[in-house]
PDB file of all heavy atoms in Angstrom:
ATOM      1  N   SER B 184       0.845  -1.195  -0.011  1.00 90.00           N
ATOM      2  CA  SER B 184       0.036   0.048  -0.012  1.00 90.00           C
ATOM      3  C   SER B 184       0.785   1.104   0.022  1.00 90.00           C
ATOM      4  O   SER B 184       2.064   1.180   0.443  1.00 90.00           O
ATOM      5  CB  SER B 184      -0.925   0.024   1.259  1.00 90.00           C
ATOM      6  OG  SER B 184      -1.407   1.280   1.335  1.00 90.00           O
ATOM      7  N   VAL B 185       0.318   2.295  -0.491  1.00 88.00           N
ATOM      8  CA  VAL B 185       1.080   3.620  -0.433  1.00 88.00           C
ATOM      9  C   VAL B 185       1.327   3.894   1.072  1.00 88.00           C
ATOM     10  O   VAL B 185       2.192   4.718   1.339  1.00 88.00           O
ATOM     11  CB  VAL B 185       0.315   4.746  -1.108  1.00 88.00           C
ATOM     12  CG1 VAL B 185       0.274   4.420  -2.583  1.00 88.00           C
ATOM     13  CG2 VAL B 185      -1.062   5.026  -0.539  1.00 88.00           C
ATOM     14  N   ALA B 186       0.572   3.404   2.041  1.00 84.00           N
ATOM     15  CA  ALA B 186       0.827   3.604   3.429  1.00 84.00           C
ATOM     16  C   ALA B 186       2.157   3.120   3.882  1.00 84.00           C
ATOM     17  O   ALA B 186       2.577   3.726   4.880  1.00 84.00           O
ATOM     18  CB  ALA B 186      -0.298   2.967   4.202  1.00 84.00           C
ATOM     19  N   SER B 187       2.839   2.319   3.150  1.00 87.00           N
ATOM     20  CA  SER B 187       4.133   1.908   3.531  1.00 87.00           C
ATOM     21  C   SER B 187       5.095   2.904   3.384  1.00 87.00           C
ATOM     22  O   SER B 187       6.300   2.970   4.010  1.00 87.00           O
ATOM     23  CB  SER B 187       4.654   0.764   2.682  1.00 87.00           C
ATOM     24  OG  SER B 187       4.861   1.134   1.342  1.00 87.00           O
ATOM     25  N   ALA B 188       4.886   3.952   2.587  1.00 84.00           N
ATOM     26  CA  ALA B 188       5.860   5.145   2.321  1.00 84.00           C
ATOM     27  C   ALA B 188       5.424   6.458   2.676  1.00 84.00           C
ATOM     28  O   ALA B 188       6.126   7.412   2.852  1.00 84.00           O
ATOM     29  CB  ALA B 188       6.238   5.125   0.855  1.00 84.00           C
ATOM     30  N   LYS B 189       3.996   6.639   2.907  1.00 81.00           N
ATOM     31  CA  LYS B 189       3.432   7.876   3.055  1.00 81.00           C
ATOM     32  C   LYS B 189       2.814   7.903   4.528  1.00 81.00           C
ATOM     33  O   LYS B 189       1.940   7.115   4.778  1.00 81.00           O
ATOM     34  CB  LYS B 189       2.337   8.104   2.023  1.00 81.00           C
ATOM     35  CG  LYS B 189       1.841   9.543   2.159  1.00 81.00           C
ATOM     36  CD  LYS B 189       1.697  10.017   0.709  1.00 81.00           C
ATOM     37  CE  LYS B 189       1.234  11.397   0.556  1.00 81.00           C
ATOM     38  NZ  LYS B 189       2.298  12.378   0.148  1.00 81.00           N
ATOM     39  N   GLY B 190       3.132   8.720   5.310  1.00 76.00           N
ATOM     40  CA  GLY B 190       2.650   8.815   6.674  1.00 76.00           C
ATOM     41  C   GLY B 190       1.156   9.414   6.651  1.00 76.00           C
ATOM     42  O   GLY B 190       0.911  10.565   5.991  1.00 76.00           O
ATOM     43  N   THR B 191       0.235   8.641   7.100  1.00 77.00           N
ATOM     44  CA  THR B 191      -1.158   9.004   7.063  1.00 77.00           C
ATOM     45  C   THR B 191      -1.631   8.954   8.499  1.00 77.00           C
ATOM     46  O   THR B 191      -1.505   7.922   9.254  1.00 77.00           O
ATOM     47  CB  THR B 191      -2.004   8.079   6.173  1.00 77.00           C
ATOM     48  OG1 THR B 191      -1.429   8.131   4.908  1.00 77.00           O
ATOM     49  CG2 THR B 191      -3.343   8.639   6.008  1.00 77.00           C
ATOM     50  N   PRO B 192      -2.286  10.087   8.946  1.00 80.00           N
ATOM     51  CA  PRO B 192      -2.781  10.119  10.357  1.00 80.00           C
ATOM     52  C   PRO B 192      -3.743   8.892  10.569  1.00 80.00           C
ATOM     53  O   PRO B 192      -4.603   8.560   9.752  1.00 80.00           O
ATOM     54  CB  PRO B 192      -3.555  11.358  10.467  1.00 80.00           C
ATOM     55  CG  PRO B 192      -2.894  12.260   9.400  1.00 80.00           C
ATOM     56  CD  PRO B 192      -2.550  11.376   8.274  1.00 80.00           C
ATOM     57  N   ALA B 193      -3.654   8.282  11.738  1.00 80.00           N
ATOM     58  CA  ALA B 193      -4.451   7.167  12.189  1.00 80.00           C
ATOM     59  C   ALA B 193      -4.222   5.762  11.470  1.00 80.00           C
ATOM     60  O   ALA B 193      -4.987   4.844  11.531  1.00 80.00           O
ATOM     61  CB  ALA B 193      -5.923   7.513  12.063  1.00 80.00           C
ATOM     62  N   PHE B 194      -3.210   5.755  10.595  1.00 81.00           N
ATOM     63  CA  PHE B 194      -2.804   4.640   9.806  1.00 81.00           C
ATOM     64  C   PHE B 194      -1.349   4.140  10.128  1.00 81.00           C
ATOM     65  O   PHE B 194      -0.750   3.520   9.371  1.00 81.00           O
ATOM     66  CB  PHE B 194      -2.863   4.890   8.259  1.00 81.00           C
ATOM     67  CG  PHE B 194      -4.250   4.862   7.759  1.00 81.00           C
ATOM     68  CD1 PHE B 194      -5.122   5.958   7.933  1.00 81.00           C
ATOM     69  CD2 PHE B 194      -4.819   3.631   7.298  1.00 81.00           C
ATOM     70  CE1 PHE B 194      -6.426   5.865   7.333  1.00 81.00           C
ATOM     71  CE2 PHE B 194      -6.091   3.676   6.716  1.00 81.00           C
ATOM     72  CZ  PHE B 194      -6.952   4.760   6.824  1.00 81.00           C
ATOM     73  N   ALA B 195      -0.831   4.477  11.308  1.00 89.00           N
ATOM     74  CA  ALA B 195       0.467   4.043  11.718  1.00 89.00           C
ATOM     75  C   ALA B 195       0.690   2.573  11.696  1.00 89.00           C
ATOM     76  O   ALA B 195       1.610   2.065  11.149  1.00 89.00           O
ATOM     77  CB  ALA B 195       0.782   4.599  13.061  1.00 89.00           C
ATOM     78  N   VAL B 196      -0.158   1.773  12.388  1.00 92.00           N
ATOM     79  CA  VAL B 196      -0.045   0.298  12.388  1.00 92.00           C
ATOM     80  C   VAL B 196      -0.229  -0.256  11.055  1.00 92.00           C
ATOM     81  O   VAL B 196       0.642  -1.162  10.618  1.00 92.00           O
ATOM     82  CB  VAL B 196      -0.999  -0.280  13.387  1.00 92.00           C
ATOM     83  CG1 VAL B 196      -0.875  -1.705  13.445  1.00 92.00           C
ATOM     84  CG2 VAL B 196      -0.672   0.274  14.880  1.00 92.00           C
ATOM     85  N   TYR B 197      -1.100   0.172  10.317  1.00 90.00           N
ATOM     86  CA  TYR B 197      -1.363  -0.355   8.892  1.00 90.00           C
ATOM     87  C   TYR B 197      -0.101  -0.050   8.027  1.00 90.00           C
ATOM     88  O   TYR B 197       0.362  -1.002   7.340  1.00 90.00           O
ATOM     89  CB  TYR B 197      -2.549   0.269   8.311  1.00 90.00           C
ATOM     90  CG  TYR B 197      -2.959  -0.140   6.899  1.00 90.00           C
ATOM     91  CD1 TYR B 197      -3.395  -1.367   6.707  1.00 90.00           C
ATOM     92  CD2 TYR B 197      -2.694   0.691   5.871  1.00 90.00           C
ATOM     93  CE1 TYR B 197      -3.675  -1.768   5.298  1.00 90.00           C
ATOM     94  CE2 TYR B 197      -2.871   0.359   4.580  1.00 90.00           C
ATOM     95  CZ  TYR B 197      -3.423  -0.981   4.313  1.00 90.00           C
ATOM     96  OH  TYR B 197      -3.678  -1.299   3.003  1.00 90.00           O
ATOM     97  N   GLY B 198       0.376   1.203   8.143  1.00 90.00           N
ATOM     98  CA  GLY B 198       1.605   1.550   7.364  1.00 90.00           C
ATOM     99  C   GLY B 198       2.805   0.719   7.710  1.00 90.00           C
ATOM    100  O   GLY B 198       3.544   0.302   6.899  1.00 90.00           O
ATOM    101  N   ALA B 199       2.916   0.416   9.140  1.00 92.00           N
ATOM    102  CA  ALA B 199       4.051  -0.293   9.468  1.00 92.00           C
ATOM    103  C   ALA B 199       3.920  -1.749   8.940  1.00 92.00           C
ATOM    104  O   ALA B 199       4.967  -2.339   8.694  1.00 92.00           O
ATOM    105  CB  ALA B 199       4.029  -0.274  11.033  1.00 92.00           C
ATOM    106  N   SER B 200       2.730  -2.245   9.061  1.00 93.00           N
ATOM    107  CA  SER B 200       2.618  -3.669   8.533  1.00 93.00           C
ATOM    108  C   SER B 200       2.946  -3.745   7.043  1.00 93.00           C
ATOM    109  O   SER B 200       3.463  -4.752   6.695  1.00 93.00           O
ATOM    110  CB  SER B 200       1.125  -4.128   8.689  1.00 93.00           C
ATOM    111  OG  SER B 200       0.244  -3.541   7.922  1.00 93.00           O
ATOM    112  N   LYS B 201       2.598  -2.764   6.249  1.00 93.00           N
ATOM    113  CA  LYS B 201       2.791  -2.814   4.726  1.00 93.00           C
ATOM    114  C   LYS B 201       4.409  -2.531   4.561  1.00 93.00           C
ATOM    115  O   LYS B 201       4.965  -3.054   3.545  1.00 93.00           O
ATOM    116  CB  LYS B 201       2.074  -1.729   4.131  1.00 93.00           C
ATOM    117  CG  LYS B 201       0.594  -1.946   4.081  1.00 93.00           C
ATOM    118  CD  LYS B 201       0.269  -3.396   3.558  1.00 93.00           C
ATOM    119  CE  LYS B 201      -1.215  -3.754   3.469  1.00 93.00           C
ATOM    120  NZ  LYS B 201      -1.415  -5.055   2.811  1.00 93.00           N
ATOM    121  N   ALA B 202       5.042  -1.817   5.453  1.00 93.00           N
ATOM    122  CA  ALA B 202       6.462  -1.641   5.392  1.00 93.00           C
ATOM    123  C   ALA B 202       7.158  -2.930   5.725  1.00 93.00           C
ATOM    124  O   ALA B 202       8.267  -3.295   5.083  1.00 93.00           O
ATOM    125  CB  ALA B 202       6.953  -0.479   6.156  1.00 93.00           C
ATOM    126  N   ALA B 203       6.579  -3.672   6.553  1.00 95.00           N
ATOM    127  CA  ALA B 203       7.200  -5.110   6.871  1.00 95.00           C
ATOM    128  C   ALA B 203       7.080  -5.929   5.740  1.00 95.00           C
ATOM    129  O   ALA B 203       7.973  -6.728   5.296  1.00 95.00           O
ATOM    130  CB  ALA B 203       6.454  -5.532   8.015  1.00 95.00           C
ATOM    131  N   ILE B 204       5.850  -5.958   4.815  1.00 96.00           N
ATOM    132  CA  ILE B 204       5.714  -6.556   3.672  1.00 96.00           C
ATOM    133  C   ILE B 204       6.882  -6.289   2.802  1.00 96.00           C
ATOM    134  O   ILE B 204       7.449  -7.118   2.152  1.00 96.00           O
ATOM    135  CB  ILE B 204       4.412  -6.300   3.136  1.00 96.00           C
ATOM    136  CG1 ILE B 204       3.279  -6.813   3.940  1.00 96.00           C
ATOM    137  CG2 ILE B 204       4.248  -6.980   1.618  1.00 96.00           C
ATOM    138  CD1 ILE B 204       3.119  -8.279   4.242  1.00 96.00           C
ATOM    139  N   ARG B 205       7.130  -5.016   2.574  1.00 95.00           N
ATOM    140  CA  ARG B 205       8.313  -4.583   1.651  1.00 95.00           C
ATOM    141  C   ARG B 205       9.637  -5.235   2.171  1.00 95.00           C
ATOM    142  O   ARG B 205      10.394  -5.644   1.390  1.00 95.00           O
ATOM    143  CB  ARG B 205       8.394  -3.047   1.729  1.00 95.00           C
ATOM    144  CG  ARG B 205       9.446  -2.590   0.762  1.00 95.00           C
ATOM    145  CD  ARG B 205       9.382  -1.051   0.809  1.00 95.00           C
ATOM    146  NE  ARG B 205       9.877  -0.581   2.066  1.00 95.00           N
ATOM    147  CZ  ARG B 205       9.274   0.378   2.747  1.00 95.00           C
ATOM    148  NH1 ARG B 205       8.202   1.140   2.087  1.00 95.00           N
ATOM    149  NH2 ARG B 205       9.617   0.803   3.985  1.00 95.00           N
ATOM    150  N   ASN B 206       9.859  -5.258   3.500  1.00 96.00           N
ATOM    151  CA  ASN B 206      11.073  -5.835   4.048  1.00 96.00           C
ATOM    152  C   ASN B 206      11.154  -7.260   3.786  1.00 96.00           C
ATOM    153  O   ASN B 206      12.172  -7.848   3.412  1.00 96.00           O
ATOM    154  CB  ASN B 206      11.150  -5.505   5.547  1.00 96.00           C
ATOM    155  CG  ASN B 206      12.561  -5.812   6.077  1.00 96.00           C
ATOM    156  OD1 ASN B 206      12.806  -6.998   6.341  1.00 96.00           O
ATOM    157  ND2 ASN B 206      13.403  -4.874   6.157  1.00 96.00           N
ATOM    158  N   PHE B 207      10.068  -8.004   3.923  1.00 97.00           N
ATOM    159  CA  PHE B 207       9.988  -9.447   3.588  1.00 97.00           C
ATOM    160  C   PHE B 207      10.489  -9.686   2.247  1.00 97.00           C
ATOM    161  O   PHE B 207      11.244 -10.554   1.905  1.00 97.00           O
ATOM    162  CB  PHE B 207       8.572 -10.066   3.786  1.00 97.00           C
ATOM    163  CG  PHE B 207       8.100 -10.157   5.173  1.00 97.00           C
ATOM    164  CD1 PHE B 207       6.689 -10.218   5.469  1.00 97.00           C
ATOM    165  CD2 PHE B 207       8.834 -10.399   6.261  1.00 97.00           C
ATOM    166  CE1 PHE B 207       6.189 -10.338   6.681  1.00 97.00           C
ATOM    167  CE2 PHE B 207       8.459 -10.500   7.534  1.00 97.00           C
ATOM    168  CZ  PHE B 207       7.072 -10.506   7.763  1.00 97.00           C
ATOM    169  N   VAL B 208       9.930  -8.915   1.302  1.00 97.00           N
ATOM    170  CA  VAL B 208      10.280  -9.052  -0.185  1.00 97.00           C
ATOM    171  C   VAL B 208      11.773  -8.863  -0.409  1.00 97.00           C
ATOM    172  O   VAL B 208      12.332  -9.545  -1.111  1.00 97.00           O
ATOM    173  CB  VAL B 208       9.392  -8.122  -1.055  1.00 97.00           C
ATOM    174  CG1 VAL B 208       9.934  -7.911  -2.300  1.00 97.00           C
ATOM    175  CG2 VAL B 208       7.952  -8.783  -1.168  1.00 97.00           C
ATOM    176  N   ARG B 209      12.291  -7.729   0.184  1.00 96.00           N
ATOM    177  CA  ARG B 209      13.769  -7.661   0.006  1.00 96.00           C
ATOM    178  C   ARG B 209      14.602  -8.711   0.608  1.00 96.00           C
ATOM    179  O   ARG B 209      15.535  -9.099   0.044  1.00 96.00           O
ATOM    180  CB  ARG B 209      14.037  -6.265   0.684  1.00 96.00           C
ATOM    181  CG  ARG B 209      13.576  -5.090  -0.088  1.00 96.00           C
ATOM    182  CD  ARG B 209      13.740  -3.791   0.576  1.00 96.00           C
ATOM    183  NE  ARG B 209      13.165  -2.743  -0.281  1.00 96.00           N
ATOM    184  CZ  ARG B 209      13.103  -1.473   0.064  1.00 96.00           C
ATOM    185  NH1 ARG B 209      13.686  -1.068   1.323  1.00 96.00           N
ATOM    186  NH2 ARG B 209      12.635  -0.582  -0.685  1.00 96.00           N
ATOM    187  N   ARG B 210      14.142  -9.344   1.727  1.00 96.00           N
ATOM    188  CA  ARG B 210      14.927 -10.337   2.356  1.00 96.00           C
ATOM    189  C   ARG B 210      14.816 -11.599   1.403  1.00 96.00           C
ATOM    190  O   ARG B 210      15.727 -12.322   1.031  1.00 96.00           O
ATOM    191  CB  ARG B 210      14.292 -10.733   3.780  1.00 96.00           C
ATOM    192  CG  ARG B 210      15.212 -11.742   4.422  1.00 96.00           C
ATOM    193  CD  ARG B 210      14.480 -12.287   5.575  1.00 96.00           C
ATOM    194  NE  ARG B 210      13.541 -13.360   5.227  1.00 96.00           N
ATOM    195  CZ  ARG B 210      12.608 -13.683   5.971  1.00 96.00           C
ATOM    196  NH1 ARG B 210      12.284 -13.156   7.075  1.00 96.00           N
ATOM    197  NH2 ARG B 210      11.719 -14.720   5.348  1.00 96.00           N
ATOM    198  N   TRP B 211      13.566 -11.855   0.822  1.00 97.00           N
ATOM    199  CA  TRP B 211      13.373 -13.068   0.035  1.00 97.00           C
ATOM    200  C   TRP B 211      14.130 -12.891  -1.216  1.00 97.00           C
ATOM    201  O   TRP B 211      14.553 -13.940  -1.761  1.00 97.00           O
ATOM    202  CB  TRP B 211      11.828 -13.319  -0.215  1.00 97.00           C
ATOM    203  CG  TRP B 211      11.061 -13.816   0.912  1.00 97.00           C
ATOM    204  CD1 TRP B 211      11.633 -14.764   1.954  1.00 97.00           C
ATOM    205  CD2 TRP B 211       9.869 -13.544   1.408  1.00 97.00           C
ATOM    206  NE1 TRP B 211      10.685 -14.876   2.968  1.00 97.00           N
ATOM    207  CE2 TRP B 211       9.510 -14.249   2.540  1.00 97.00           C
ATOM    208  CE3 TRP B 211       8.769 -12.801   0.863  1.00 97.00           C
ATOM    209  CZ2 TRP B 211       8.343 -14.190   3.228  1.00 97.00           C
ATOM    210  CZ3 TRP B 211       7.645 -12.679   1.495  1.00 97.00           C
ATOM    211  CH2 TRP B 211       7.397 -13.382   2.760  1.00 97.00           C
ATOM    212  N   THR B 212      14.281 -11.715  -1.807  1.00 96.00           N
ATOM    213  CA  THR B 212      15.055 -11.441  -2.883  1.00 96.00           C
ATOM    214  C   THR B 212      16.381 -12.064  -2.827  1.00 96.00           C
ATOM    215  O   THR B 212      16.855 -12.667  -3.729  1.00 96.00           O
ATOM    216  CB  THR B 212      15.137  -9.942  -3.213  1.00 96.00           C
ATOM    217  OG1 THR B 212      13.789  -9.522  -3.607  1.00 96.00           O
ATOM    218  CG2 THR B 212      15.944  -9.730  -4.464  1.00 96.00           C
ATOM    219  N   VAL B 213      17.020 -11.792  -1.603  1.00 97.00           N
ATOM    220  CA  VAL B 213      18.440 -12.218  -1.350  1.00 97.00           C
ATOM    221  C   VAL B 213      18.346 -13.818  -1.029  1.00 97.00           C
ATOM    222  O   VAL B 213      19.184 -14.547  -1.509  1.00 97.00           O
ATOM    223  CB  VAL B 213      19.095 -11.436  -0.232  1.00 97.00           C
ATOM    224  CG1 VAL B 213      20.413 -12.098   0.088  1.00 97.00           C
ATOM    225  CG2 VAL B 213      19.096 -10.013  -0.613  1.00 97.00           C
ATOM    226  N   GLU B 214      17.508 -14.208  -0.236  1.00 96.00           N
ATOM    227  CA  GLU B 214      17.446 -15.493   0.147  1.00 96.00           C
ATOM    228  C   GLU B 214      17.014 -16.589  -0.869  1.00 96.00           C
ATOM    229  O   GLU B 214      17.470 -17.752  -0.812  1.00 96.00           O
ATOM    230  CB  GLU B 214      16.556 -15.710   1.405  1.00 96.00           C
ATOM    231  CG  GLU B 214      16.973 -15.160   2.678  1.00 96.00           C
ATOM    232  CD  GLU B 214      16.001 -15.198   3.788  1.00 96.00           C
ATOM    233  OE1 GLU B 214      14.953 -15.786   3.628  1.00 96.00           O
ATOM    234  OE2 GLU B 214      16.443 -14.794   4.935  1.00 96.00           O
ATOM    235  N   LEU B 215      16.279 -16.124  -1.812  1.00 97.00           N
ATOM    236  CA  LEU B 215      15.749 -17.109  -2.944  1.00 97.00           C
ATOM    237  C   LEU B 215      16.459 -16.887  -4.196  1.00 97.00           C
ATOM    238  O   LEU B 215      16.118 -17.496  -5.254  1.00 97.00           O
ATOM    239  CB  LEU B 215      14.260 -16.845  -3.106  1.00 97.00           C
ATOM    240  CG  LEU B 215      13.444 -17.083  -1.831  1.00 97.00           C
ATOM    241  CD1 LEU B 215      11.991 -16.776  -2.027  1.00 97.00           C
ATOM    242  CD2 LEU B 215      13.636 -18.754  -1.380  1.00 97.00           C
ATOM    243  N   LYS B 216      17.499 -16.136  -4.290  1.00 96.00           N
ATOM    244  CA  LYS B 216      18.336 -15.960  -5.572  1.00 96.00           C
ATOM    245  C   LYS B 216      18.786 -17.252  -6.160  1.00 96.00           C
ATOM    246  O   LYS B 216      18.788 -17.422  -7.432  1.00 96.00           O
ATOM    247  CB  LYS B 216      19.414 -14.970  -5.436  1.00 96.00           C
ATOM    248  CG  LYS B 216      20.623 -15.315  -4.560  1.00 96.00           C
ATOM    249  CD  LYS B 216      21.561 -14.232  -4.513  1.00 96.00           C
ATOM    250  CE  LYS B 216      22.700 -14.623  -3.517  1.00 96.00           C
ATOM    251  NZ  LYS B 216      23.610 -13.595  -3.262  1.00 96.00           N
ATOM    252  N   HIS B 217      19.230 -18.162  -5.315  1.00 97.00           N
ATOM    253  CA  HIS B 217      19.672 -19.432  -5.907  1.00 97.00           C
ATOM    254  C   HIS B 217      18.559 -20.271  -6.535  1.00 97.00           C
ATOM    255  O   HIS B 217      18.865 -21.072  -7.418  1.00 97.00           O
ATOM    256  CB  HIS B 217      20.273 -20.282  -4.725  1.00 97.00           C
ATOM    257  CG  HIS B 217      19.340 -20.736  -3.700  1.00 97.00           C
ATOM    258  ND1 HIS B 217      18.821 -19.998  -2.599  1.00 97.00           N
ATOM    259  CD2 HIS B 217      18.829 -22.043  -3.531  1.00 97.00           C
ATOM    260  CE1 HIS B 217      17.966 -20.653  -1.970  1.00 97.00           C
ATOM    261  NE2 HIS B 217      17.933 -21.831  -2.431  1.00 97.00           N
TER     262      HIS B 217
END
């Protein structure tokens, strides 16, 4: 969601959860390259 990158009032937890999704993807990019 755009909430991962854009601070929106009352959406802090939602935004943080979407930022975590982005972090999972970056981690899997490295871990699954083989």
Side-chain angles (χ1 to χ4, degrees):
S184 168
V185 297
S187 71
K189 188 137 184 113
T191 304
F194 281 84
V196 173
Y197 179 74
S200 71
K201 294 305 181 175
I204 296 294
R205 181 181 63 228
N206 191 277
F207 288 155
V208 160
R209 289 176 179 170
R210 188 192 83 202
W211 289 325
T212 294
V213 174
E214 290 179 355
L215 299 173
K216 67 182 178 183
H217 66 284

